[in-house]
Amino acid sequence: MTTPRIRTDLQATPLEDQGIKYYDVSDPRSGARMRMYDFEWLIAERMDGARRFDEVASWAKERLGLGPSADDLAEFARKLRELGFFELGEPIAAKPAAAAKSDEPIIEEDDDELTPLPDPMPASRELSPPPIAKEAAKDEIIAVSATMPVMTAVKPEPAPAPAPSATKPAAPAAPRTIEVDPTTSTGKMDTPPPPKKSGSGSLFFVLLVLIGAGGAVVYMQYFRPQSAHVTVTLATPREVVELYDGAAPVKKAEAQTLSFGEDGKVTEVVAKGTEAKAGMPLATLDAYPQVEKSLADLKDRERFYEKQLAKAQLKNDPAELKLAEAKVAEKKKLSAELEARALKLRLIAPASGTVTDVLVSAGGDAKAGQPAVKLGSSQLTADFTVPAAGAPKVGEAVMLKPAGGGATIVSGRVARVTGGVVTVELNEGAAKPGDSLRLVRSKQENVVPVPAAAVVERGGDQVVFVLSDGEARMRKVTVVDRSNPSQVLISSGLATGDSVITSGADALSDGQKATTP
């Protein structure tokens, strides 16, 4: 049987007190801590979910000079799981009842009754509660009381020392006393008969007695997560529209002056007053037809070599594959160069509008960079100032929302991005001059918005905690938008009406008690 997997987020710090070696183990989720003997932590640390209990027992015998059985360690692991040491959902089979000797007492755990330690404790070394009980007990349930029997671990007679080891536990310190406030316990505290020694393995049996009896005060009070006071919000799926800051007025686009990129003879040109649509040719130079033909031929050759490349990939022929790849890359490069030159030889209307002036004539010469055609646009635009990071790209379709509110969404296209200013051309009929619009950053349907602090990471997953029947229950969720630093949008993992915990989620554990103010 394999061991459970110990939590990797537990933080253990070695220290020595009065000649005895300990580990202070802290829990980052609850902020609590507890002190363990060095051999206790070293054995717990070996439980990684891959090793078997018998392997850990062999390691303890070889490295620590102890002799626990696999069943001893399984029971030890069961106790540690109850105290929150292992990852959620780790199964541990308890030691079978038949494995216990008939003359050994059965220790029954009861949250409502604390059983004192047997006196004297028949162990090979003292196992009194670590000093953290006194350090952390201020204003808690451990207090001086004259009306309750004192639980004392009595130092036994020394046992024969085991073989020397680098990690051998140091000599025991003087026994410590835990005094318990009677108001925290119910029922009479009867002292059970002392357990029977069973060789080296009795060390672990005594440890289990310590955890199950008075030692439980230390472990349960200072390591297990306590009841948390939390705030909640109800999960309500809805449409969420995120907007960029600031609004912009709708205006008519300015008239544009178009010019050729090369010198040449004009073969075609539109007349003044022509109503042009976006993408319509307005004027052409004589070199354009030849470039257009060469470009068509190149496209044909590019398609041919793409087919050759597909065949070479099927044949897995490295030589043919390399040749075909080189040819395809060559044709793509030449096509891009010709397409760029074609744009210099023909003027294309960038948007709908009216030709207000024609400065060249068919059969005449045109100079590169000199005005050839002026286009008065009927296009409506709006200029938005947005952060460079995450700004929309030229040609990207975008949505806009009336600055005064309302559900109407207008659509448009990004025409230019210059120095943080995004110019959006609106679709025909989407708005009128003078309207004030805001640019939509994102639009999500049927999502649950929650405060960013409600979402935490556990085991590589994004999770939230839901308050249910007085307990914090962990839910794995799908986050679709974190663009707003104060709000997260969740698309799955929550149901309508769930009480999502919005405070202290990073310190919660699944099943922890929680209350609202």
Side-chain angles (χ1 to χ4, degrees):
M1 180 174 61
T2 58
T3 62
R5 184 171 70 256
I6 196 162
R7 282 171 49 191
T8 57
D9 61 334
L10 296 180
Q11 300 167 359
T13 304
L15 70 154
E16 188 168 329
D17 185 10
Q18 301 181 20
I20 298 181
K21 295 180 180 180
Y22 298 99
Y23 277 88
D24 267 356
V25 183
S26 60
D27 183 356
R29 298 179 188 172
S30 65
R33 69 187 181 94
M34 66 172 288
R35 181 167 292 181
M36 302 177 70
Y37 287 109
D38 58 349
F39 73 89
E40 295 173 8
W41 172 251
L42 292 173
I43 290 175
E45 195 177 32
R46 301 291 292 180
M47 297 183 184
D48 59 0
R51 296 182 176 93
R52 300 189 309 274
F53 282 112
D54 57 351
E55 292 176 323
V56 178
S58 298
W59 177 87
K61 182 175 182 181
E62 177 184 348
R63 300 295 298 274
L64 304 180
L66 305 175
S69 69
D71 286 340
D72 289 333
L73 294 185
E75 182 67 8
F76 180 47
R78 188 179 69 81
K79 296 290 185 182
L80 293 183
R81 180 185 62 180
E82 295 173 359
L83 303 175
F85 273 73
F86 298 122
E87 298 289 355
L88 297 173
E90 288 292 330
I92 305 173
K95 177 179 177 180
K101 294 187 177 180
S102 60
D103 56 351
E104 291 183 346
I106 297 176
I107 307 300
E108 296 184 356
E109 294 182 292
D110 189 341
D111 291 338
D112 296 325
E113 179 170 324
L114 299 176
T115 305
L117 295 174
D119 187 10
M121 183 182 293
S124 60
R125 58 171 287 180
E126 178 192 0
L127 287 175
S128 57
I132 189 173
K134 291 185 179 181
E135 297 171 2
K138 183 180 294 185
D139 299 325
E140 296 292 343
I141 67 169
I142 301 179
V144 176
S145 172
T147 61
M148 169 152 285
V150 173
M151 298 188 295
T152 306
V154 180
K155 184 174 181 180
E157 292 297 323
S165 171
T167 58
K168 174 184 175 183
R176 296 177 176 83
T177 300
I178 300 177
E179 299 183 355
V180 183
D181 187 337
T183 62
T184 64
S185 177
T186 61
K188 184 178 178 181
M189 299 177 63
D190 298 323
T191 303
K196 180 179 179 181
K197 257 186 179 178
S198 56
S200 300
S202 66
L203 177 64
F204 283 89
F205 182 80
V206 174
L207 177 61
L208 297 178
V209 171
L210 176 65
I211 295 177
V217 175
V218 179
Y219 283 80
M220 301 287 283
Q221 183 70 18
Y222 298 105
F223 193 74
R224 268 189 167 178
Q226 303 301 303
S227 180
H229 298 286
V230 299
T231 57
V232 300
T233 185
L234 293 181
T236 308
R238 62 178 186 268
E239 175 187 283
V240 176
V241 177
E242 297 281 345
L243 305 172
Y244 287 102
D245 291 336
V250 176
K251 60 184 180 180
K252 284 187 176 182
E254 297 179 358
Q256 298 183 61
T257 300
L258 308 178
S259 57
F260 291 108
E262 290 185 10
D263 296 346
K265 187 177 292 294
V266 178
T267 58
E268 296 176 350
V269 63
V270 296
K272 181 179 178 179
T274 301
E275 293 293 332
K277 297 292 184 182
M280 174 181 170
L282 302 178
T284 306
L285 295 181
D286 57 352
Y288 181 80
Q290 182 58 45
V291 171
E292 186 179 37
K293 183 178 183 305
S294 298
L295 183 59
D297 291 341
L298 269 174
K299 291 294 184 182
D300 285 341
R301 298 305 296 167
E302 182 180 329
R303 285 190 288 269
F304 170 79
Y305 284 115
E306 284 176 342
K307 292 179 181 178
Q308 296 296 107
L309 176 60
K311 291 179 181 179
Q313 290 172 336
L314 289 174
K315 291 170 60 178
N316 197 23
D317 186 324
E320 288 188 18
L321 187 62
K322 184 176 180 180
L323 177 61
E325 287 176 341
K327 287 294 186 181
V328 169
E330 175 190 350
K331 302 309 178 188
K332 285 184 179 293
K333 180 181 177 182
L334 291 174
S335 294
E337 292 173 352
L338 283 178
E339 286 171 349
R341 189 182 177 203
L343 293 176
K344 297 178 181 179
L345 299 174
R346 170 174 274 187
L347 302 182
I348 302 295
S352 299
T354 303
V355 176
T356 59
D357 209 350
V358 178
L359 305 175
V360 295
S361 59
D365 294 331
K367 297 293 184 182
Q370 289 185 353
V373 175
K374 289 185 178 181
L375 182 66
S377 178
S378 60
Q379 179 74 58
L380 297 180
T381 65
D383 296 329
F384 299 91
T385 301
V386 301
K393 308 299 185 212
V394 173
E396 182 178 340
V398 294
M399 292 182 293
L400 305 104
K401 188 178 179 68
T408 305
I409 298 290
V410 242
S411 55
R413 181 185 65 86
V414 177
R416 293 181 299 280
V417 178
T418 308
V421 176
V422 176
T423 299
V424 176
E425 293 181 344
L426 306 181
N427 291 351
E428 188 174 351
K432 62 182 183 298
D435 287 348
S436 183
L437 301 176
R438 294 187 64 183
L439 184 59
V440 174
R441 181 168 57 189
S442 66
K443 179 184 177 184
Q444 303 286 347
E445 302 282 353
N446 198 34
V447 294
V448 178
V450 298
V455 181
V456 295
E457 185 173 318
R458 295 288 167 85
D461 294 326
Q462 300 293 307
V463 304
V464 301
F465 286 89
V466 171
L467 185 61
S468 177
D469 296 328
E471 295 181 341
R473 290 300 180 184
M474 189 169 67
R475 299 273 184 86
K476 180 180 176 181
V477 295
T478 301
V479 174
V480 293
D481 195 330
R482 281 185 176 271
S483 55
N484 186 334
S486 63
Q487 181 177 270
V488 171
L489 302 183
I490 294 173
S491 64
S492 65
L494 290 173
T496 301
D498 280 343
S499 296
V500 181
I501 295 176
T502 59
S503 62
D506 54 345
L508 292 175
S509 58
D510 191 35
Q512 181 177 348
K513 297 293 185 183
T515 58
T516 55

